[in-house]
Amino acid sequence: KDGGEGGSFADEVDAVFQTLIADMIEYMRSNEGRAAKGHAVYDGFTRLAVQMHSFIPKAGYSKPGEGGLSRMQQYLRDLIATFESVRAVRDTKTPVGLSLFCYSLIHISPILLAPYWNHFCGKQLGGQELPPMFGCVSGYFVGIFYVLIVHTLYRVQSELEDPFDGDGMDDIKWECWNAQLDQMGNFGEDGPSKREMAAKKSYQHS
């Protein structure tokens, strides 16, 4: 981005790329209207490919593979392939049968196992008649402990199914990801000078 036509083209490509990244994040984090948002991502890939193709005559070449320009096509192909891999993870849900089984296990099994837990009370009291109001400590302990374990496993399953929404503690931190992406321009041959200038600007604004 040294100015002139090359700098203007770099700014245009950067705008298309930033829009593409924003559309990707929106697709990954959303649960509604995802078909249209997925189409927006592929529209962004198309716009990026058009921008890359228009750069060929500006660089003084007539074919995409000349002068190392094929590397740009390779980067675009890798970007699309990586998005497809992440999309496969995002769109793959837990089987319906497994979800129903876990739901039933959490809500029905405590009722079905209540007589078994009551058995612990009988052993604790030596076969005596149980108190009419509150029973005994062991029955409550076993019941609560069981429900906590099953509910925790169910929550783990739910969080692993969708780590992209950014709501859970272990989900993808999109803000950190964006911050790292914004810093990519501060690396390279002139990286030290760029980072020094960025540090000075940050110090002046603070």
Side-chain angles (χ1 to χ4, degrees):
K1 297 183 181 181
D2 297 329
E5 186 177 359
S8 175
F9 177 80
D11 291 337
E12 293 176 3
V13 173
D14 183 67
V16 173
F17 183 75
Q18 294 298 332
T19 302
L20 175 61
I21 295 299
D23 290 337
M24 286 183 180
I25 295 176
E26 183 66 21
Y27 174 82
M28 292 297 173
R29 299 190 67 170
S30 301
N31 291 318
E32 298 179 356
R34 299 187 63 245
K37 293 174 182 177
H39 295 161
V41 173
Y42 289 103
D43 290 340
F45 284 133
T46 303
R47 286 192 294 269
L48 188 59
V50 171
Q51 289 285 347
M52 292 167 56
H53 185 75
S54 65
F55 179 71
I56 296 175
K58 295 179 181 180
Y61 299 103
S62 59
K63 298 180 180 179
E66 294 179 344
L69 295 179
S70 61
R71 185 64 60 88
M72 292 194 305
Q73 302 292 337
Q74 180 180 351
Y75 289 152
L76 179 60
R77 181 183 61 189
D78 292 343
L79 182 61
I80 296 175
T82 302
F83 173 74
E84 288 288 344
S85 299
V86 178
R87 182 185 180 185
V89 176
R90 174 66 177 84
D91 294 343
T92 301
K93 298 294 185 180
T94 302
V96 177
L98 180 59
S99 298
L100 291 176
F101 174 78
C102 295
Y103 182 86
S104 302
L105 186 68
I106 292 176
H107 294 83
I108 299 178
S109 59
I111 300 175
L112 298 178
L113 292 175
Y116 178 70
W117 295 333
N118 191 52
H119 171 70
F120 286 94
C121 291
K123 292 181 62 176
Q124 179 178 334
L125 298 176
Q128 300 178 14
E129 184 178 354
L130 299 179
M133 292 296 293
F134 303 107
C136 62
V137 177
S138 61
Y140 287 106
F141 174 78
V142 174
I144 294 174
F145 190 66
Y146 173 83
V147 172
L148 286 176
I149 292 176
V150 177
H151 183 71
T152 300
L153 293 176
Y154 184 77
R155 289 295 304 169
V156 170
Q157 172 193 317
S158 300
E159 291 298 328
L160 289 177
E161 183 176 288
D162 186 11
F164 300 101
D165 56 8
D167 294 333
M169 295 180 60
D170 296 323
D171 287 351
I172 296 176
K173 302 297 186 293
W174 293 108
E175 294 77 11
C176 297
W177 189 78
N178 278 328
Q180 293 174 350
L181 189 64
D182 292 338
Q183 296 298 319
M184 290 180 62
N186 293 331
F187 298 93
E189 294 182 358
D190 54 349
S193 59
K194 289 183 177 180
R195 291 191 292 272
E196 183 178 357
M197 292 180 58
K200 289 181 179 179
K201 290 181 180 179
S202 176
Y203 178 77
Q204 292 174 357
H205 290 299
S206 62

